[in-house]
Amino acid sequence: MAEEVKLFGAWGSAFSLRVDIALKLKGINYEYHEEDLFNKSSLLIKYNPIHKKVPVLVHHDKPLAESQVILEYIDETWENYPILPKDPYERAKARFWARFIDDKCFPAIWKAYWSKDEREKAVEELIELLKFLENELDDNFFGGETVGLVDIVGNIIAHWLPALHEVAGVEILTEEKFPKLCRWSHEFVNHSVVKEVLPSREKLIAFLRDRLESRSS
Amino acid sequence: MADEEVILLDFWGSMFGMRVRIALAEKGIKYEYKEEDLWNKSTLLVEMNPIHKRIPVLIHNGKSICESLIIVQYVDEVWHGKAPLLPSDPYQRAHARFWADVVDDKMYDAGKNVWATKGEDQEAANKVFFDTLKLLEAELGDKPYFGGDSFGFVDVALIPYYSWFHAYETFGNFSIEAECPKLIAWAKRCTEKESVSKSLADENKICEFVSQLRNKFGIE
């Protein structure tokens, strides 16, 4: 029943898209509400008063916020197409890399692209961080043969990073430096379910270009 | 299980390390505690946590698990038969994870800025600190624990900061109990548990430690 599951998201937000990916991988029907991030709905604020951000998942009228918390909830509630391993040690590793992406890579990506002063240092830092991920990858996906938590959280690297390269002219994810990550990125964005969810490269580039221009003006 | 080898790399004053100590104590797990010198990290620490090079690190049968909340969840899952820290209901589990993340997002910096600043900066820091505590106190409400009737994940995440409260009060020049009595009552309730009282650092030692840090960073 689609009305039991609602997602408040924004098409340009990598965090929000993660939840779409997980729901679609598990074949869950849901009602999607697009939020205008410059004019957030009172419903969003009611459901997420602490952070006031997307994504918010509402299941049986109970709201949940924070993309990684939501992803684990989805995995525990709908057991088909598991995105986390069963083994506790493997689960801990997956959680570790997912946090690494959000806590370390994301801020470095942000600075590398949006901040002119801190760009050089942020690029160096991001390259070092991505090397850890490159070394960690030894299968099609971080999740093994199938898309898992780390791949989904890694959408910011697979899809947003190449788009940001177009917009800001800063290339970081090269085949030369990161052959495995580049291959993974290609596999991920072309995955049959994921590609239906992700915004097109052109649309994302236009959106990010707008944002970069409005930040510099 | 007699052939389990559990080692914890830790630092006596770390709130993050304390979380793991509490979880291990709740489950009654025997382990070897190894104290790290944060200014001279051991090769074992760097080998076991090459990405962050920081404590706590749990080494279980030779495999390392890093990041305190990830370690606590791991301990809860492996030794699931005793003292569950996370609820069994998925929504309640998500709620607990959300609030543990709120503690992680806000508490460390809020507390640090109280003792690491002075003058107007400290006034601003004190306000942020109390906003954070009040947010947490509101979430606690009238429940005995954040987990409800039983001590759980969010309680484990937050209670180590109680050992730092005396330091925050001393250098911030305020009383936490005056502003957040319910939170202090909760903290005292938690310290009645042996797993907590044995795991928390001595608050006077922490205060002395912070005083040394302030001298080191020229804040005095």
PDB file of all heavy atoms in Angstrom, chain A residues 56-83:
ATOM      1  N   VAL A  56      13.288  12.648   4.701  1.00  0.00           N
ATOM      2  CA  VAL A  56      12.499  12.144   5.829  1.00  0.00           C
ATOM      3  C   VAL A  56      11.634  11.018   5.289  1.00  0.00           C
ATOM      4  O   VAL A  56      10.967  11.189   4.264  1.00  0.00           O
ATOM      5  CB  VAL A  56      11.610  13.246   6.446  1.00  0.00           C
ATOM      6  CG1 VAL A  56      10.596  12.646   7.419  1.00  0.00           C
ATOM      7  CG2 VAL A  56      12.457  14.282   7.175  1.00  0.00           C
ATOM      8  N   LEU A  57      11.675   9.893   5.972  1.00  0.00           N
ATOM      9  CA  LEU A  57      10.808   8.762   5.615  1.00  0.00           C
ATOM     10  C   LEU A  57       9.685   8.723   6.636  1.00  0.00           C
ATOM     11  O   LEU A  57       9.937   8.863   7.830  1.00  0.00           O
ATOM     12  CB  LEU A  57      11.592   7.445   5.656  1.00  0.00           C
ATOM     13  CG  LEU A  57      10.826   6.232   5.132  1.00  0.00           C
ATOM     14  CD1 LEU A  57      10.874   6.207   3.615  1.00  0.00           C
ATOM     15  CD2 LEU A  57      11.374   4.936   5.693  1.00  0.00           C
ATOM     16  N   VAL A  58       8.466   8.564   6.164  1.00  0.00           N
ATOM     17  CA  VAL A  58       7.346   8.416   7.087  1.00  0.00           C
ATOM     18  C   VAL A  58       6.702   7.063   6.813  1.00  0.00           C
ATOM     19  O   VAL A  58       6.246   6.810   5.695  1.00  0.00           O
ATOM     20  CB  VAL A  58       6.313   9.552   6.922  1.00  0.00           C
ATOM     21  CG1 VAL A  58       5.197   9.423   7.957  1.00  0.00           C
ATOM     22  CG2 VAL A  58       6.979  10.916   7.052  1.00  0.00           C
ATOM     23  N   HIS A  59       6.715   6.192   7.791  1.00  0.00           N
ATOM     24  CA  HIS A  59       6.148   4.852   7.628  1.00  0.00           C
ATOM     25  C   HIS A  59       5.078   4.651   8.681  1.00  0.00           C
ATOM     26  O   HIS A  59       5.367   4.768   9.873  1.00  0.00           O
ATOM     27  CB  HIS A  59       7.266   3.805   7.780  1.00  0.00           C
ATOM     28  CG  HIS A  59       6.820   2.416   7.460  1.00  0.00           C
ATOM     29  ND1 HIS A  59       7.421   1.304   7.985  1.00  0.00           N
ATOM     30  CD2 HIS A  59       5.819   1.950   6.668  1.00  0.00           C
ATOM     31  CE1 HIS A  59       6.823   0.214   7.535  1.00  0.00           C
ATOM     32  NE2 HIS A  59       5.846   0.590   6.733  1.00  0.00           N
ATOM     33  N   HIS A  60       3.861   4.358   8.247  1.00  0.00           N
ATOM     34  CA  HIS A  60       2.722   4.271   9.164  1.00  0.00           C
ATOM     35  C   HIS A  60       2.660   5.518  10.054  1.00  0.00           C
ATOM     36  O   HIS A  60       2.503   5.415  11.274  1.00  0.00           O
ATOM     37  CB  HIS A  60       2.842   3.028  10.067  1.00  0.00           C
ATOM     38  CG  HIS A  60       2.793   1.737   9.319  1.00  0.00           C
ATOM     39  ND1 HIS A  60       1.745   1.396   8.483  1.00  0.00           N
ATOM     40  CD2 HIS A  60       3.652   0.691   9.285  1.00  0.00           C
ATOM     41  CE1 HIS A  60       1.980   0.207   7.963  1.00  0.00           C
ATOM     42  NE2 HIS A  60       3.131  -0.250   8.426  1.00  0.00           N
ATOM     43  N   ASP A  61       2.840   6.681   9.440  1.00  0.00           N
ATOM     44  CA  ASP A  61       2.783   7.975  10.140  1.00  0.00           C
ATOM     45  C   ASP A  61       3.912   8.225  11.123  1.00  0.00           C
ATOM     46  O   ASP A  61       3.873   9.203  11.876  1.00  0.00           O
ATOM     47  CB  ASP A  61       1.448   8.137  10.892  1.00  0.00           C
ATOM     48  CG  ASP A  61       0.297   8.331   9.916  1.00  0.00           C
ATOM     49  OD1 ASP A  61       0.537   8.937   8.852  1.00  0.00           O
ATOM     50  OD2 ASP A  61      -0.815   7.854  10.204  1.00  0.00           O
ATOM     51  N   LYS A  62       4.922   7.349  11.144  1.00  0.00           N
ATOM     52  CA  LYS A  62       6.046   7.585  12.061  1.00  0.00           C
ATOM     53  C   LYS A  62       7.240   8.093  11.241  1.00  0.00           C
ATOM     54  O   LYS A  62       7.696   7.417  10.327  1.00  0.00           O
ATOM     55  CB  LYS A  62       6.392   6.301  12.813  1.00  0.00           C
ATOM     56  CG  LYS A  62       5.264   5.884  13.790  1.00  0.00           C
ATOM     57  CD  LYS A  62       5.711   4.886  14.816  1.00  0.00           C
ATOM     58  CE  LYS A  62       5.558   3.469  14.325  1.00  0.00           C
ATOM     59  NZ  LYS A  62       5.705   2.487  15.447  1.00  0.00           N
ATOM     60  N   PRO A  63       7.741   9.296  11.598  1.00  0.00           N
ATOM     61  CA  PRO A  63       8.813   9.873  10.778  1.00  0.00           C
ATOM     62  C   PRO A  63      10.205   9.421  11.199  1.00  0.00           C
ATOM     63  O   PRO A  63      10.452   9.143  12.372  1.00  0.00           O
ATOM     64  CB  PRO A  63       8.647  11.379  11.042  1.00  0.00           C
ATOM     65  CG  PRO A  63       8.106  11.462  12.434  1.00  0.00           C
ATOM     66  CD  PRO A  63       7.304  10.209  12.668  1.00  0.00           C
ATOM     67  N   LEU A  64      11.107   9.375  10.203  1.00  0.00           N
ATOM     68  CA  LEU A  64      12.517   9.105  10.483  1.00  0.00           C
ATOM     69  C   LEU A  64      13.368  10.026   9.642  1.00  0.00           C
ATOM     70  O   LEU A  64      13.083  10.237   8.462  1.00  0.00           O
ATOM     71  CB  LEU A  64      12.873   7.661  10.112  1.00  0.00           C
ATOM     72  CG  LEU A  64      12.538   6.594  11.132  1.00  0.00           C
ATOM     73  CD1 LEU A  64      12.813   5.222  10.542  1.00  0.00           C
ATOM     74  CD2 LEU A  64      13.353   6.782  12.409  1.00  0.00           C
ATOM     75  N   ALA A  65      14.448  10.535  10.241  1.00  0.00           N
ATOM     76  CA  ALA A  65      15.341  11.424   9.506  1.00  0.00           C
ATOM     77  C   ALA A  65      16.766  10.878   9.538  1.00  0.00           C
ATOM     78  O   ALA A  65      17.066   9.982  10.312  1.00  0.00           O
ATOM     79  CB  ALA A  65      15.304  12.817  10.128  1.00  0.00           C
ATOM     80  N   GLU A  66      17.617  11.484   8.696  1.00  0.00           N
ATOM     81  CA  GLU A  66      19.024  11.091   8.527  1.00  0.00           C
ATOM     82  C   GLU A  66      19.135   9.873   7.614  1.00  0.00           C
ATOM     83  O   GLU A  66      18.720   8.758   7.959  1.00  0.00           O
ATOM     84  CB  GLU A  66      19.722  10.792   9.871  1.00  0.00           C
ATOM     85  CG  GLU A  66      19.855  12.024  10.748  1.00  0.00           C
ATOM     86  CD  GLU A  66      20.654  13.128  10.097  1.00  0.00           C
ATOM     87  OE1 GLU A  66      21.896  13.058  10.082  1.00  0.00           O
ATOM     88  OE2 GLU A  66      20.041  14.088   9.587  1.00  0.00           O
ATOM     89  N   SER A  67      19.765  10.075   6.467  1.00  0.00           N
ATOM     90  CA  SER A  67      19.741   9.054   5.416  1.00  0.00           C
ATOM     91  C   SER A  67      20.279   7.701   5.881  1.00  0.00           C
ATOM     92  O   SER A  67      19.687   6.663   5.569  1.00  0.00           O
ATOM     93  CB  SER A  67      20.495   9.523   4.161  1.00  0.00           C
ATOM     94  OG  SER A  67      21.875   9.718   4.417  1.00  0.00           O
ATOM     95  N   GLN A  68      21.367   7.666   6.629  1.00  0.00           N
ATOM     96  CA  GLN A  68      21.926   6.365   7.014  1.00  0.00           C
ATOM     97  C   GLN A  68      21.035   5.649   8.031  1.00  0.00           C
ATOM     98  O   GLN A  68      20.923   4.428   7.997  1.00  0.00           O
ATOM     99  CB  GLN A  68      23.351   6.529   7.551  1.00  0.00           C
ATOM    100  CG  GLN A  68      24.327   6.911   6.449  1.00  0.00           C
ATOM    101  CD  GLN A  68      25.763   6.637   6.810  1.00  0.00           C
ATOM    102  OE1 GLN A  68      26.076   5.709   7.545  1.00  0.00           O
ATOM    103  NE2 GLN A  68      26.661   7.477   6.308  1.00  0.00           N
ATOM    104  N   VAL A  69      20.404   6.422   8.905  1.00  0.00           N
ATOM    105  CA  VAL A  69      19.453   5.826   9.864  1.00  0.00           C
ATOM    106  C   VAL A  69      18.276   5.233   9.082  1.00  0.00           C
ATOM    107  O   VAL A  69      17.833   4.110   9.350  1.00  0.00           O
ATOM    108  CB  VAL A  69      18.959   6.892  10.877  1.00  0.00           C
ATOM    109  CG1 VAL A  69      17.812   6.363  11.733  1.00  0.00           C
ATOM    110  CG2 VAL A  69      20.094   7.349  11.773  1.00  0.00           C
ATOM    111  N   ILE A  70      17.795   5.991   8.095  1.00  0.00           N
ATOM    112  CA  ILE A  70      16.669   5.536   7.276  1.00  0.00           C
ATOM    113  C   ILE A  70      17.042   4.272   6.499  1.00  0.00           C
ATOM    114  O   ILE A  70      16.257   3.320   6.416  1.00  0.00           O
ATOM    115  CB  ILE A  70      16.215   6.653   6.302  1.00  0.00           C
ATOM    116  CG1 ILE A  70      15.672   7.859   7.083  1.00  0.00           C
ATOM    117  CG2 ILE A  70      15.147   6.126   5.338  1.00  0.00           C
ATOM    118  CD1 ILE A  70      15.407   9.091   6.219  1.00  0.00           C
ATOM    119  N   LEU A  71      18.239   4.240   5.923  1.00  0.00           N
ATOM    120  CA  LEU A  71      18.662   3.068   5.139  1.00  0.00           C
ATOM    121  C   LEU A  71      18.671   1.808   6.005  1.00  0.00           C
ATOM    122  O   LEU A  71      18.221   0.739   5.579  1.00  0.00           O
ATOM    123  CB  LEU A  71      20.047   3.299   4.530  1.00  0.00           C
ATOM    124  CG  LEU A  71      20.127   4.335   3.404  1.00  0.00           C
ATOM    125  CD1 LEU A  71      21.567   4.567   2.969  1.00  0.00           C
ATOM    126  CD2 LEU A  71      19.287   3.921   2.205  1.00  0.00           C
ATOM    127  N   GLU A  72      19.188   1.909   7.224  1.00  0.00           N
ATOM    128  CA  GLU A  72      19.213   0.736   8.109  1.00  0.00           C
ATOM    129  C   GLU A  72      17.788   0.321   8.485  1.00  0.00           C
ATOM    130  O   GLU A  72      17.478  -0.869   8.543  1.00  0.00           O
ATOM    131  CB  GLU A  72      20.029   1.013   9.380  1.00  0.00           C
ATOM    132  CG  GLU A  72      21.520   1.132   9.113  1.00  0.00           C
ATOM    133  CD  GLU A  72      22.397   0.408  10.123  1.00  0.00           C
ATOM    134  OE1 GLU A  72      21.971  -0.607  10.685  1.00  0.00           O
ATOM    135  OE2 GLU A  72      23.524   0.886  10.343  1.00  0.00           O
ATOM    136  N   TYR A  73      16.935   1.306   8.706  1.00  0.00           N
ATOM    137  CA  TYR A  73      15.528   1.006   9.037  1.00  0.00           C
ATOM    138  C   TYR A  73      14.858   0.253   7.881  1.00  0.00           C
ATOM    139  O   TYR A  73      14.179  -0.755   8.078  1.00  0.00           O
ATOM    140  CB  TYR A  73      14.767   2.299   9.314  1.00  0.00           C
ATOM    141  CG  TYR A  73      13.283   2.079   9.495  1.00  0.00           C
ATOM    142  CD1 TYR A  73      12.770   1.573  10.688  1.00  0.00           C
ATOM    143  CD2 TYR A  73      12.386   2.346   8.456  1.00  0.00           C
ATOM    144  CE1 TYR A  73      11.414   1.347  10.856  1.00  0.00           C
ATOM    145  CE2 TYR A  73      11.025   2.124   8.618  1.00  0.00           C
ATOM    146  CZ  TYR A  73      10.543   1.631   9.814  1.00  0.00           C
ATOM    147  OH  TYR A  73       9.193   1.404   9.963  1.00  0.00           O
ATOM    148  N   ILE A  74      15.071   0.749   6.670  1.00  0.00           N
ATOM    149  CA  ILE A  74      14.488   0.103   5.485  1.00  0.00           C
ATOM    150  C   ILE A  74      14.986  -1.336   5.393  1.00  0.00           C
ATOM    151  O   ILE A  74      14.220  -2.272   5.134  1.00  0.00           O
ATOM    152  CB  ILE A  74      14.836   0.907   4.208  1.00  0.00           C
ATOM    153  CG1 ILE A  74      14.075   2.231   4.185  1.00  0.00           C
ATOM    154  CG2 ILE A  74      14.534   0.089   2.952  1.00  0.00           C
ATOM    155  CD1 ILE A  74      14.487   3.177   3.072  1.00  0.00           C
ATOM    156  N   ASP A  75      16.287  -1.526   5.627  1.00  0.00           N
ATOM    157  CA  ASP A  75      16.849  -2.880   5.518  1.00  0.00           C
ATOM    158  C   ASP A  75      16.282  -3.819   6.563  1.00  0.00           C
ATOM    159  O   ASP A  75      16.086  -5.010   6.300  1.00  0.00           O
ATOM    160  CB  ASP A  75      18.376  -2.813   5.636  1.00  0.00           C
ATOM    161  CG  ASP A  75      19.046  -3.979   4.945  1.00  0.00           C
ATOM    162  OD1 ASP A  75      18.605  -4.342   3.828  1.00  0.00           O
ATOM    163  OD2 ASP A  75      19.996  -4.546   5.505  1.00  0.00           O
ATOM    164  N   GLU A  76      16.013  -3.301   7.751  1.00  0.00           N
ATOM    165  CA  GLU A  76      15.478  -4.155   8.835  1.00  0.00           C
ATOM    166  C   GLU A  76      13.988  -4.427   8.658  1.00  0.00           C
ATOM    167  O   GLU A  76      13.479  -5.433   9.129  1.00  0.00           O
ATOM    168  CB  GLU A  76      15.748  -3.495  10.192  1.00  0.00           C
ATOM    169  CG  GLU A  76      17.220  -3.554  10.577  1.00  0.00           C
ATOM    170  CD  GLU A  76      17.543  -2.774  11.847  1.00  0.00           C
ATOM    171  OE1 GLU A  76      16.606  -2.330  12.544  1.00  0.00           O
ATOM    172  OE2 GLU A  76      18.739  -2.612  12.133  1.00  0.00           O
ATOM    173  N   THR A  77      13.303  -3.505   8.009  1.00  0.00           N
ATOM    174  CA  THR A  77      11.851  -3.642   7.864  1.00  0.00           C
ATOM    175  C   THR A  77      11.475  -4.495   6.659  1.00  0.00           C
ATOM    176  O   THR A  77      10.534  -5.276   6.704  1.00  0.00           O
ATOM    177  CB  THR A  77      11.208  -2.246   7.753  1.00  0.00           C
ATOM    178  OG1 THR A  77      11.607  -1.483   8.880  1.00  0.00           O
ATOM    179  CG2 THR A  77       9.703  -2.315   7.708  1.00  0.00           C
ATOM    180  N   TRP A  78      12.201  -4.321   5.537  1.00  0.00           N
ATOM    181  CA  TRP A  78      11.934  -5.094   4.331  1.00  0.00           C
ATOM    182  C   TRP A  78      13.153  -5.940   4.037  1.00  0.00           C
ATOM    183  O   TRP A  78      14.193  -5.434   3.603  1.00  0.00           O
ATOM    184  CB  TRP A  78      11.627  -4.164   3.155  1.00  0.00           C
ATOM    185  CG  TRP A  78      10.318  -3.445   3.324  1.00  0.00           C
ATOM    186  CD1 TRP A  78       9.072  -3.942   3.050  1.00  0.00           C
ATOM    187  CD2 TRP A  78      10.113  -2.112   3.801  1.00  0.00           C
ATOM    188  NE1 TRP A  78       8.108  -2.989   3.315  1.00  0.00           N
ATOM    189  CE2 TRP A  78       8.728  -1.857   3.791  1.00  0.00           C
ATOM    190  CE3 TRP A  78      10.982  -1.091   4.232  1.00  0.00           C
ATOM    191  CZ2 TRP A  78       8.170  -0.642   4.196  1.00  0.00           C
ATOM    192  CZ3 TRP A  78      10.437   0.116   4.638  1.00  0.00           C
ATOM    193  CH2 TRP A  78       9.044   0.329   4.624  1.00  0.00           C
ATOM    194  N   GLU A  79      13.040  -7.231   4.293  1.00  0.00           N
ATOM    195  CA  GLU A  79      14.232  -8.084   4.296  1.00  0.00           C
ATOM    196  C   GLU A  79      14.701  -8.541   2.916  1.00  0.00           C
ATOM    197  O   GLU A  79      15.805  -9.057   2.806  1.00  0.00           O
ATOM    198  CB  GLU A  79      13.989  -9.282   5.206  1.00  0.00           C
ATOM    199  CG  GLU A  79      13.965  -8.840   6.674  1.00  0.00           C
ATOM    200  CD  GLU A  79      13.669  -9.980   7.637  1.00  0.00           C
ATOM    201  OE1 GLU A  79      13.464 -11.126   7.196  1.00  0.00           O
ATOM    202  OE2 GLU A  79      13.633  -9.694   8.854  1.00  0.00           O
ATOM    203  N   ASN A  80      13.901  -8.359   1.870  1.00  0.00           N
ATOM    204  CA  ASN A  80      14.390  -8.756   0.541  1.00  0.00           C
ATOM    205  C   ASN A  80      15.476  -7.796   0.081  1.00  0.00           C
ATOM    206  O   ASN A  80      15.544  -6.664   0.528  1.00  0.00           O
ATOM    207  CB  ASN A  80      13.232  -8.778  -0.464  1.00  0.00           C
ATOM    208  CG  ASN A  80      12.688  -7.381  -0.695  1.00  0.00           C
ATOM    209  OD1 ASN A  80      12.490  -6.623   0.247  1.00  0.00           O
ATOM    210  ND2 ASN A  80      12.443  -7.035  -1.952  1.00  0.00           N
ATOM    211  N   TYR A  81      16.327  -8.256  -0.848  1.00  0.00           N
ATOM    212  CA  TYR A  81      17.445  -7.456  -1.329  1.00  0.00           C
ATOM    213  C   TYR A  81      18.181  -6.789  -0.172  1.00  0.00           C
ATOM    214  O   TYR A  81      18.165  -5.565  -0.036  1.00  0.00           O
ATOM    215  CB  TYR A  81      17.020  -6.407  -2.360  1.00  0.00           C
ATOM    216  CG  TYR A  81      18.184  -5.972  -3.233  1.00  0.00           C
ATOM    217  CD1 TYR A  81      18.291  -6.393  -4.552  1.00  0.00           C
ATOM    218  CD2 TYR A  81      19.205  -5.169  -2.730  1.00  0.00           C
ATOM    219  CE1 TYR A  81      19.378  -6.035  -5.351  1.00  0.00           C
ATOM    220  CE2 TYR A  81      20.295  -4.809  -3.494  1.00  0.00           C
ATOM    221  CZ  TYR A  81      20.378  -5.244  -4.805  1.00  0.00           C
ATOM    222  OH  TYR A  81      21.456  -4.882  -5.583  1.00  0.00           O
ATOM    223  N   PRO A  82      18.817  -7.567   0.706  1.00  0.00           N
ATOM    224  CA  PRO A  82      19.507  -6.966   1.857  1.00  0.00           C
ATOM    225  C   PRO A  82      20.621  -6.033   1.405  1.00  0.00           C
ATOM    226  O   PRO A  82      21.375  -6.347   0.472  1.00  0.00           O
ATOM    227  CB  PRO A  82      20.091  -8.164   2.603  1.00  0.00           C
ATOM    228  CG  PRO A  82      19.951  -9.317   1.714  1.00  0.00           C
ATOM    229  CD  PRO A  82      18.959  -9.022   0.669  1.00  0.00           C
ATOM    230  N   ILE A  83      20.728  -4.877   2.053  1.00  0.00           N
ATOM    231  CA  ILE A  83      21.807  -3.943   1.714  1.00  0.00           C
ATOM    232  C   ILE A  83      22.905  -3.933   2.774  1.00  0.00           C
ATOM    233  O   ILE A  83      23.974  -3.359   2.572  1.00  0.00           O
ATOM    234  CB  ILE A  83      21.290  -2.508   1.422  1.00  0.00           C
ATOM    235  CG1 ILE A  83      20.501  -1.950   2.614  1.00  0.00           C
ATOM    236  CG2 ILE A  83      20.429  -2.505   0.160  1.00  0.00           C
ATOM    237  CD1 ILE A  83      20.104  -0.482   2.428  1.00  0.00           C
TER     238      ILE A  83
END
